[in-house]
Amino acid sequence: MNKNKQFRNDVLSSVESLTYEQLNQQPASNTWSVMQVLEHLYLMERMIVSRVKDQLENGVDQPTEDKPFHLAVDRSRKVDAPAQVTPSNEKQTLEEMKSKLAESRAALIELEETASEDKLKQKSFPHPVFGLMDLKQWIDFIGYHEKRHQEQIEEIKAAIGA
């Protein structure tokens, strides 16, 4: 969980000084704004926590080998976000988004504190790039996914001159 916490702190630190306009500015019509990236992170974390909980309660044991999910930080390979984690075009304040991110993180922490590591390693569901990942790997993946998008945020900041 320490990496998840560190990566989240890094993301939030990288956007702290941006104005409302900069946060919501899209560099091009086919790219996300910084705020849309943050919303995507919130939606992803919520979706992963929900899927992990569902698998813990209803999934069958399906252990799998460790996957190289740390490679998610490599932005040379583009991956389209599934519809359920695609952000809206609604403009938001950083405080609103930080509140949502705190909510999704609290749910993740609660899940981690209540689920046994053995059970997390026994159940799994597929990742679109890495294939079948156990629930422990999914929890760890969240931070690497955020690290990937922190790099995207830096690219957006450069593109808008922030």
Side-chain angles (χ1 to χ4, degrees), residues 7-15 38 41 146 150 153:
F7 291 147
R8 172 64 59 85
N9 288 342
D10 293 347
V11 165
L12 292 176
S13 292
S14 75
V15 302
L38 295 176
L41 297 179
E146 292 194 4
Q150 181 188 0
I153 287 169

Side-chain angles (χ1 to χ4, degrees), residues 10 38 40 50 57 65 70 78-79 82 84 93 95 124 129 138-139 145 149 161:
D10 293 347
L38 295 176
H40 169 70
S50 175
E57 294 171 14
E65 68 281 353
H70 63 279
K78 178 132 171 63
V79 179
Q84 69 267 29
T93 67
E95 290 312 310
S124 47
V129 174
W138 271 103
I139 289 171
H145 175 256
H149 285 290

Side-chain angles (χ1 to χ4, degrees), residues 4 16-17 19 30 32 37 45 48 50 54-55 63 65 68 71 73 75-76 92 95 103-104 106-107 120 125-126:
N4 284 347
E16 198 64 49
S17 65
T19 66
N30 64 340
W32 289 349
V37 173
E45 186 167 55
I48 291 171
S50 175
D54 181 61
Q55 286 300 310
E65 68 281 353
L71 297 175
V73 299
R75 291 201 22 87
S76 67
Q92 300 180 63
E95 290 312 310
E103 169 204 314
S104 63
L120 289 171
F125 64 94

Side-chain angles (χ1 to χ4, degrees), residues 65-130:
E65 68 281 353
D66 287 346
K67 298 298 189 312
F69 60 84
H70 63 279
L71 297 175
V73 299
D74 177 7
R75 291 201 22 87
S76 67
R77 181 173 181 191
K78 178 132 171 63
V79 179
D80 289 329
Q84 69 267 29
V85 294
T86 298
S88 70
N89 290 319
E90 187 177 315
K91 294 187 183 325
Q92 300 180 63
T93 67
L94 184 56
E95 290 312 310
E96 291 169 327
M97 187 51 63
K98 284 167 85 173
S99 177
K100 289 178 180 180
L101 288 165
E103 169 204 314
S104 63
R105 184 49 51 97
L108 174 65
I109 291 168
E110 180 184 346
L111 172 66
E112 240 193 342
E113 288 175 348
T114 58
S116 82
E117 190 163 331
D118 287 343
K119 201 165 184 181
L120 289 171
K121 289 184 175 187
Q122 289 302 312
K123 298 181 185 288
S124 47
F125 64 94
H127 183 278
V129 174
F130 300 111

